[in-house]
Every structure is written in structure tokens, then in C-alpha cells.
Amino acid sequence: MRAPRRRFDMSAVIELLLGVPTVLSSLLIITLAGRAVTPETPWLFPVVWLLSGVIVFLPATGKLLAALVHGMRGPTGTERAALEPLLEEACGAAGVDPGRYRLRIQNSREINAMAVGGHVVGVSTAALQLPRKQLEAVLAHEIGHHLAGHTKISLLRWWFELPARAVVWLVVVAGAGIYVAGDKIGTTGARVVSFVLIVALGVAAVLISPWVLLVPVIAPLLALASRRAELHADRVAAELGYRLVLLEVLQRWVKEGYDEQRAHAGFKARMLASHPSCALRISKLRGERRRPLSRSPGA
């Protein structure tokens, strides 16, 4: 079997760099917790936490997140019989072992597919109704995400950001509780005290997790990296021989009004969109014909 076509993709690097402020905030929180719990060995907590990142690369983690976050389930016998030959074809074109991937199904009326963790390839029940070759092209696109490391980087970033995000969530919940309590008491003094406590909580949250100040900048940049990753996965699928078929899928989505819905979305929604428009993806794929395909050595 040929070596897999792993391609350097800048979008994965950008996402990794954008996660640095939040991860450093998490490291600070874990270090403070370590000093409080084990003052004799304050380094123990951060070291164990950093080593825990290996969890995200376990196949079981991807399957668990696919179920909990995306509501995916294992395929039925009929669904597996329909998908496995297509996955084998797409993996054969990419030169990877199809056995490394786990198929999952999302009950949805929308045509959709996604790559999760390092091993899950999921499709919606609606996507199962696509013509076989189109569904195979969709699977090739998701394999492109896996080969570029998009899913592993996203999952690793999510895992290491959890402590910082948890602190911000706790502050928000506590602040809401203080506000409700002050409002319920109703006196001017109670409202002033609740206001002061909420401000103090906010200042503490910023001191512990200063990344929250960067959210207005980081969020749109992460969305931009995600859109770039989608274009990269399209290019991988094109190089594997699915350009024309993937164009058919995208043109189908255009007819179903995907871009029209996007056009009516507000500026903020477009800035934070995780996927580029179908029109842009079609334009990029058509441009592949005028550009020689690059080849990188297998990894």
C-alpha cells in the first residue's frame, strides 16, 4: 500500500498558535491548583496535566466525543455495508489503511459529514442518500482533514483549553447568581455590593485567564483557519481524483440554498462561519485544473 499523502497545512499551525494564550492560562490555573494541593511538589499537577494530552489521540476518545458532542452513533449493518466499500476506495486512493478509521452516523436531515479526533469519520443519515460516488468524495474530503492533522490539533487545543474555559464559566455562573441575589434583596446596598462583587470576579477572571480579552480577535481568526482547513481538505480530495464529483456535491448544496442562507446572515455570523461558501469552494476546485498538483513525500 502506498504511503499516505500527508500535506503540510498552514491552517493547522495557525489554529495551534491561536490556542497558545488560552493554553498558557490553563497552565497557570493548573499550576496554582498544584501549589494549593501539593505545595511540596507544585510541579506535579502541571506535568501530569501536560502528559494527559495523550488521551486525545486514543480512538476511544474520538468515539466518545462523536457521541457526546455530535450525537453520533455506530452504523447499522446496512449503513456499514454501504459505507465501508466507499471508505476503502477513498483510503485506497490516499494510500492509508481504512482500518484506522471508525465510521459513525449522525441522525440528521441535512447532508453533512465530519472528521472527529484522529480516527472518526462521520456522515449524516441524509448524506447516505447521496449517489455512491458523491458520498465517496465526501468521505475523501473528511480523510483529507485527518491526513492534514486538523482534527487532532483541534482536539488537543480543546483539551488543554478546558481549565481556562472552566474558570470563565464558573465566574459567569457565580456572577449571574450574585446579580440575581442582589436583585432579589432589592435594596440599594445589596445592589451595590453585588455590583462590586461581580466586578471583582471579572477582574480575577481576567488576571487568571487574560485570554478572554483576546476573544474578539482570536474567534474570527480561528474561524478563518477553519475555513482554510475546509479548502485544504477539498484540495486533498481533488488530488485523490474526486474533484469533479466533489464539484457535483457542492453544486447540489448551492441549489439547496446553502449560499443564499449564508448571504442573509449577519456580518458577525459570516466572520465566525467555520465553512467557506460553496461558491468559493467551487471556484478553488475549478482552479485546480489550471494548476499542477503538488506532491509531497509520504509520512
Side-chain angles (χ1 to χ4, degrees):
M1 181 175 287
R2 291 174 295 170
R5 299 181 184 183
R6 296 183 183 274
R7 296 188 40 151
F8 176 79
D9 181 22
M10 197 62 190
S11 62
V13 177
I14 291 171
E15 180 174 353
L16 193 62
L17 293 175
L18 290 173
V20 168
T22 320
V23 173
L24 290 178
S25 293
S26 291
L27 182 59
L28 173 61
I29 292 166
I30 296 296
T31 301
L32 292 174
R35 287 180 178 177
V37 177
T38 58
E40 300 83 6
T41 55
W43 51 267
L44 183 61
F45 269 45
V47 168
V48 171
W49 176 69
L50 289 171
L51 292 176
S52 73
V54 72
I55 292 174
V56 305
F57 299 112
L58 300 177
T61 303
K63 290 193 288 186
L64 181 63
L65 287 176
L68 295 179
V69 179
H70 302 288
M72 290 185 177
R73 57 172 175 81
T76 64
T78 302
E79 291 166 342
R80 185 177 296 279
L83 283 170
E84 281 188 343
L86 305 182
L87 181 65
E88 289 174 2
E89 286 292 329
C91 286
V96 294
D97 179 8
R100 70 192 295 180
Y101 300 117
R102 303 292 179 266
L103 290 167
R104 286 295 179 267
I105 305 296
Q106 183 184 60
N107 294 325
S108 174
R109 295 180 180 179
E110 294 185 3
I111 296 175
N112 192 22
M114 64 188 71
V116 180
H119 304 273
V120 172
V121 175
V123 299
S124 65
T125 45
L128 290 170
Q129 308 306 315
L130 288 170
R132 287 175 56 83
K133 203 63 183 175
Q134 290 186 10
L135 182 53
E136 188 179 321
V138 170
L139 293 176
H141 171 94
E142 302 308 328
I143 290 168
H145 280 303
H146 280 304
L147 293 180
H150 296 151
T151 52
K152 289 181 180 178
I153 292 295
S154 295
L155 190 53
L156 195 63
R157 179 178 60 83
W158 171 82
W159 177 259
F160 283 133
E161 286 181 350
L162 278 179
R165 294 184 181 277
V167 166
V168 173
W169 180 82
L170 287 173
V171 167
V172 170
V173 171
I178 292 170
Y179 174 81
V180 170
D183 191 57
K184 206 161 204 177
I185 295 171
T187 65
T188 302
R191 290 194 176 109
V192 170
V193 170
S194 66
F195 175 77
V196 171
L197 288 175
I198 290 170
V199 170
L201 276 174
V203 171
V206 170
L207 290 175
I208 296 174
S209 297
W211 67 272
V212 296
L213 299 176
L214 300 175
V215 168
V217 176
I218 291 176
L221 289 177
L222 280 172
L224 179 62
S226 177
R227 294 194 295 272
R228 183 186 176 104
E230 292 300 322
L231 295 175
H232 177 86
D234 281 349
R235 176 163 171 78
V236 172
E239 290 192 1
L240 298 180
Y242 295 97
R243 181 178 58 80
L244 293 177
V245 188
L246 192 56
L247 279 170
E248 292 175 5
V249 177
L250 292 170
Q251 288 161 349
R252 175 178 184 145
W253 282 338
V254 169
K255 290 178 181 177
E256 292 179 357
Y258 175 88
D259 278 6
E260 188 175 346
Q261 294 174 6
R262 183 188 178 92
H264 291 135
F267 175 75
K268 181 179 178 181
R270 292 196 297 272
M271 285 287 291
L272 298 178
S274 61
H275 284 60
S277 66
C278 290
L280 177 60
R281 294 174 68 179
I282 289 170
S283 174
K284 292 289 185 181
L285 279 172
R286 284 176 173 165
E288 297 297 331
R289 281 183 291 186
R290 298 186 293 273
R291 183 167 63 173
L293 299 180
S294 61
R295 291 287 183 266
S296 59

